[in-house]
Amino acid sequence: MALLPPGLSRRLREAPAPRPSPLPAPPPPPPPPPPPFTFVPRRHRLGRGHALLEDGDVHRHLYLQGVLSGLAEAGERPRVSEFSCHISGCCQIFDTLEGYEHHYNSLHRNVCSFCKRSFPSGHLLDIHILEWHDSLFQIMAEKQNMYKCLVEGCAEKFKSSEDRKDHLVTAHFYPADFRFDRPKKVKSGPKHTSSPAQQGASVPMDVSMETLEQCQVDPMETGPGENMEIPQPAASPNPSVPEKRLYKSRIPSTICFGQGATRGFKGPRKKV
Amino acid sequence: MPGGTGNFSMLKGSLVGWRSLLSSLTVSYSIPALRKARRQEQLVSKRLLREESTAAEGGQDGAEIVPDPLSEDEVLELLKGVQRGSDDRKRSLSQLRLALQNQETQQKFVRLDGSIPTLIGLFTSRLADVQMEAARCLHELSHSSDPMVAEACLPVTSYLLTYLSGHSVEFTELCLYTLGNLVVESEAVRKRLLPQGIIPVLASCIQSPHDAVLEGLGYVLSQLLQAKEAPAEIIPLVLGSALPQHMLRLVCSGLKSGTGAAVEFAWSLHYMVCSHTADAALLSLGAVPALTSLLLDLAAEIQDAPEGLELIVCPVLRCLGNLLAGETGCEAQIQDERLLIALFLIMEHFLQEHPFIVQEGLWLLNNLTDEPFFCSALLSLDLLPALLQLLRCSQMATVLAAADFVGQGGCWALERHRSSPALQERAQALLDMVGQPAGASAFAPSHTTLPAFS
């Protein structure tokens, strides 16, 4: 038994019915009889927790928890034979496209054209270029606050990167050892201003790529020197002690651990 | 090869992200228990992304096997394994990720000295595969239902936000779902994320062209906007950003592409509308005509639609229902009888499988028929018989309408006019419905706790 009268779907696709144009005012009608009901229609607002919304909320929950449409359909990732990153100087090898994509997007995007360092975002790259490679910046920084807060949406500027770090910690609750706000190291020579009490000219913040040049060395060598920036288990309370960077022996490992596992992709929404 | 991520999308086809659906063999849930949790405001939903297990890891029939908990010593061994800079580290990291599927192991891990800083170090590694695996470990932790575990992840938040502006789609997606899970679990995490600038970051991120990223983003927003402090602390920030207009755009384009994202943003909008503080802003963005147009499109597609359309229909109905019930007058007017047609087509379609859609649709209908325009349309389109039939199927909506009606002396009026032949049939039908709920006299229409119906 059909619930609805026929032809409704067709009406849906048509333009809305034109409203009748206003006619000249008719003569006033005789007063209507009093209506049988004193019922007054009323709109209802339903709050978040309203009982009427309960079943819909449970359905939404089941969807998020992935329970709704049964088991996942496992999708095969295309199998590829090993290939290497084509960026000159980078010798990583991959056997999955996804592994390569993440590598490329993390390390070869947002690369500073001056010093080849790469950054997690364009935002941090821009700040780096300004503070490291813009000579005008240094001059202006002597007279006005030039060090921008790293947080997007915060317009504060500071006269030194140390002040900026303090701001990041106190106003934005950043960790004091935030990895993308590291002191600038001078490569050659002894540690020049590295007494723990003094930060010196500390500048952000890079996902360092200096070792690219060193890939002429045997690419199969994976050393203990991979600098993973892993802090000592007892996290140092003194953030201004710069961590030693083992630049020289840092050869990136060349085999990427793609396990080639089949992956499931389909959630209920994929079918929509 | 890469001139940009466009090439990767082409290579991967539609294979973005990876999910595991928990089979009903290993996860038991009962609808009454979920309803009860929802009534007590304890329904916490989380998303879990997990690589499909290989034959070695998984069980029969795709059932998820949760690993047994490890001992403290075993967890410590794994931690040491990932701290060593060697090839073994990657294997230890994978083992750790698997072990962290167990909640007890999660709890032991976060209690170990230096465990989270170690994980952060790996999470910020230059080695992309190590970074991804560490991200998966964090994701497992985010899924814990122990708030202590979520709070142990507090130091990670600034990094999660930093990486949202990156380019790696799969990694960003993982970070988003991890964030969303942490957000719903812990107020401390939310209190940390707001000053860390999560809203501006999300506002930049919403310009991403990647459906997977947008869906994850929508998920984070939907979790943020549900927080109890959202009306006071979160929604004003969202309204001050470009997010609402993008959310609306992405909901309304959801039928063509990015339906998963559209679902998330639709629910996010619903939570915003519920807060009562966003009406003016949303109305000025044209939310009502936009959502109406979407409902028309949904109704037009409904016959051929694959499964799952109710996931977006539901929040759209709710947004329209509440926006139309608001105080602001003329911007909320819609005078298009196709909306009525769409609503009935949708209710008819979902009547068997998802009756909650009928329930909520009837509520929207109630709010529409405040207007004489829609009342006349209802009659002229000959939808009244269908309406009566639908009302019979939906106890809750009936209670709502009847409560109102009864509360205003309608019952008495009906009795009086039952003898009038023109009104007889209709009056009798209405009386039958009014007769159903017990204790019908004392309801307030917008009372949030109606008597429970099993």
Side-chain angles (χ1 to χ4, degrees):
Chain A
M1 175 187 60
L3 178 67
L4 301 175
L8 279 182
S9 291
R10 190 180 34 82
R11 294 280 298 260
L12 192 59
R13 294 171 219 278
E14 292 163 1
R19 307 234 209 102
S21 46
L23 301 167
F37 305 110
T38 53
F39 177 80
V40 170
R42 191 184 325 197
R43 303 180 189 186
H44 294 294
R45 245 203 123 100
L46 296 185
R48 270 271 332 272
H50 198 280
L52 192 142
L53 304 180
E54 193 174 280
D55 284 351
D57 282 354
V58 166
H59 191 77
R60 159 74 172 165
H61 171 82
L62 292 173
Y63 165 68
L64 283 179
Q65 302 275 119
V67 178
L68 273 190
S69 72
L71 302 174
E73 300 163 30
E76 280 289 330
R77 299 254 178 176
R79 300 302 305 248
V80 295
S81 45
E82 272 185 12
F83 61 98
S84 64
C85 181
H86 75 291
I87 300 292
S88 89
C90 179
C91 22
Q92 292 239 14
I93 292 180
F94 306 91
D95 66 352
T96 67
L97 290 169
E98 291 66 37
Y100 177 57
E101 181 194 15
H102 178 49
H103 160 84
Y104 180 84
N105 282 316
S106 312
L107 291 184
H108 298 309
R109 309 276 293 245
N110 304 313
V111 174
C112 175
S113 48
F114 298 96
C115 65
K116 309 301 176 214
R117 282 180 175 79
S118 77
F119 295 83
S121 67
H123 173 69
L124 289 175
L125 172 63
D126 291 343
I127 294 181
H128 160 83
I129 291 177
L130 186 67
E131 296 178 5
W132 282 49
H133 302 295
D134 186 340
S135 42
L136 191 57
F137 177 88
Q138 299 299 334
I139 296 169
M140 292 177 67
E142 287 162 24
K143 303 193 192 90
Q144 51 186 288
N145 294 348
M146 291 290 289
Y147 289 86
K148 285 198 270 198
C149 176
L150 300 185
V151 171
E152 286 188 61
C154 179
E156 297 282 336
K157 295 189 184 184
F158 303 88
K159 70 173 183 346
S160 72
S161 67
E162 190 181 33
D163 287 353
R164 171 178 53 206
K165 180 194 277 296
D166 282 343
H167 167 79
L168 280 175
V169 170
T170 52
H172 298 294
F173 305 105
Y174 267 48
D177 62 348
F178 188 60
R179 273 160 180 69
F180 305 116
D181 186 21
R182 280 287 170 71
K184 184 175 185 171
K185 291 278 290 189
V186 173
K187 276 188 213 168
S188 60
K191 311 169 179 43
H192 60 129
T193 50
S194 304
S195 60
Q198 198 182 348
Q199 274 271 250
S202 52
V203 185
M205 74 268 2
D206 70 306
V207 180
S208 171
M209 289 298 287
E210 288 107 352
T211 57
L212 283 183
E213 305 77 54
Q214 303 179 27
C215 275
Q216 283 81 30
V217 186
D218 180 6
M220 291 303 291
E221 180 184 350
T222 62
E226 287 171 17
N227 178 10
M228 298 303 301
E229 302 171 69
I230 296 172
Q232 300 314 302
S236 165
N238 187 346
S240 57
V241 175
E243 282 181 357
K244 256 182 90 123
R245 293 202 175 196
L246 307 171
Y247 290 128
K248 261 194 257 187
S249 47
R250 198 198 142 276
I251 309 284
S253 144
T254 54
I255 300 294
C256 168
F257 273 58
Q259 286 155 352
T262 51
R263 291 173 173 191
F265 306 102
K266 304 287 185 186
R269 78 201 190 290
K270 289 296 185 191
K271 298 176 189 168
V272 177
Chain B
M1 179 198 343
T5 45
N7 291 342
F8 293 109
S9 309
M10 192 170 68
L11 288 163
K12 289 199 307 192
S14 61
L15 308 179
V16 287
W18 29 281
R19 303 274 185 277
S20 113
L21 297 190
L22 304 172
S23 100
S24 54
L25 294 172
T26 50
V27 172
S28 60
Y29 60 92
S30 79
I31 301 284
L34 290 174
R35 284 205 186 113
K36 182 174 175 198
R38 196 285 195 172
R39 257 175 254 144
Q40 296 168 343
E41 297 180 14
Q42 285 170 6
L43 195 62
V44 174
S45 326
K46 288 191 178 179
R47 257 250 158 103
L48 183 62
L49 269 66
R50 214 180 256 169
E51 198 167 310
E52 267 299 294
S53 38
T54 58
E57 294 168 12
Q60 304 285 348
D61 311 321
E64 284 284 326
I65 303 290
V66 178
D68 289 329
L70 299 184
S71 70
E72 301 262 353
D73 286 338
E74 286 169 317
V75 180
L76 187 57
E77 268 315 300
L78 278 180
L79 177 59
K80 289 184 180 160
V82 304
Q83 283 170 340
R84 279 190 288 268
S86 67
D87 259 349
D88 256 356
R89 174 176 50 215
K90 285 169 191 163
R91 195 154 41 85
S92 295
L93 200 47
S94 295
Q95 286 173 344
L96 179 62
R97 173 182 52 88
L98 288 170
L100 287 176
Q101 293 179 8
N102 177 289
Q103 169 136 315
E104 266 187 64
T105 309
Q106 292 169 353
Q107 291 161 329
K108 288 175 186 160
F109 179 77
V110 303
R111 282 196 215 110
L112 283 179
D113 224 7
S115 57
I116 295 291
T118 300
L119 212 45
I120 292 179
L122 299 166
F123 182 54
T124 53
S125 160
R126 284 182 288 278
L127 294 180
D129 48 345
V130 169
Q131 183 180 46
M132 185 69 89
E133 199 69 354
R136 292 181 186 132
C137 290
L138 284 169
H139 185 69
E140 294 291 344
L141 289 176
S142 77
H143 199 255
S144 170
S145 57
D146 182 352
M148 182 270 292
V149 174
E151 284 174 24
C153 295
L154 264 176
V156 181
T157 53
S158 55
Y159 296 106
L160 285 169
L161 289 183
T162 302
Y163 285 128
L164 292 192
S165 312
H167 290 276
S168 169
V169 172
E170 187 180 356
F171 186 68
T172 304
E173 191 192 13
L174 193 55
C175 290
L176 283 166
Y177 285 110
T178 302
L179 253 182
N181 289 344
L182 291 174
V183 157
V184 73
E185 191 62 59
S186 161
E187 185 175 357
V189 165
R190 298 194 294 267
K191 277 190 142 51
R192 177 70 65 93
L193 282 170
L194 290 176
Q196 283 180 343
I198 185 173
I199 300 296
V201 166
L202 295 180
S204 311
C205 208
I206 205 168
Q207 325 239 4
S208 167
H210 303 287
D211 286 345
V213 169
L214 290 172
E215 187 172 342
L217 174 56
Y219 173 70
V220 174
L221 266 175
S222 73
Q223 300 288 45
L224 266 179
L225 292 166
Q226 282 189 80
K228 63 177 177 10
E229 75 272 17
E233 295 174 28
I234 301 177
I235 292 180
L237 295 175
V238 172
L239 291 177
S241 77
L243 280 168
Q245 72 220 42
H246 289 294
M247 287 161 71
L248 201 52
R249 168 180 63 84
L250 289 164
V251 172
C252 294
S253 64
L255 263 185
K256 302 177 208 95
S257 70
T259 312
V263 167
E264 299 308 310
F265 289 118
W267 282 92
S268 302
L269 278 175
H270 160 58
Y271 299 131
M272 277 179 72
V273 170
C274 281
S275 74
H276 293 246
T277 57
D279 281 19
L282 290 173
L283 288 172
S284 70
L285 286 172
V288 171
L291 292 173
T292 301
S293 177
L294 175 62
L295 213 59
L296 299 188
D297 292 341
L298 284 166
E301 300 292 313
I302 205 99
Q303 292 308 328
D304 313 315
E307 291 280 312
L309 227 47
E310 78 282 358
L311 292 159
I312 189 171
V313 166
C314 173
V316 171
L317 290 178
R318 294 180 181 195
C319 285
L320 276 173
N322 270 328
L323 283 171
L324 290 173
E327 301 311 315
T328 44
C330 45
E331 296 127 319
Q333 301 297 7
I334 282 277
Q335 296 206 346
D336 183 346
E337 82 272 0
R338 293 177 304 170
L339 177 55
L340 208 56
I341 296 173
L343 190 49
F344 273 86
L345 284 169
I346 285 171
M347 289 194 290
E348 178 201 39
H349 179 81
F350 287 114
L351 180 55
Q352 296 307 323
E353 276 215 58
H354 301 296
F356 68 85
I357 294 283
V358 174
Q359 203 157 273
E360 301 189 15
L362 288 172
W363 159 57
L364 172 56
L365 184 63
N366 173 80
N367 287 356
L368 283 174
T369 49
D370 184 32
E371 278 291 307
F373 174 85
F374 279 106
C375 287
S376 327
L378 190 68
L379 293 168
S380 68
L381 289 167
D382 196 21
L383 289 170
L384 195 53
L387 173 59
L388 289 174
Q389 201 169 328
L390 287 171
L391 279 169
R392 237 171 261 137
C393 301
S394 167
Q395 215 177 6
M396 187 62 74
T398 304
V399 168
L400 205 54
D404 224 12
F405 185 72
V406 162
Q408 301 184 61
C411 225
W412 174 82
L414 272 178
E415 282 290 348
R416 209 155 61 104
H417 295 280
R418 195 148 51 139
S419 53
S420 154
L423 293 174
Q424 194 173 48
E425 192 192 321
R426 302 247 149 90
Q428 185 58 52
L430 285 168
L431 268 177
D432 287 346
M433 284 187 303
V434 167
Q436 278 169 20
S441 51
F443 290 151
S446 41
H447 203 6
T448 48
T449 52
L450 291 174
F453 289 88
S454 57

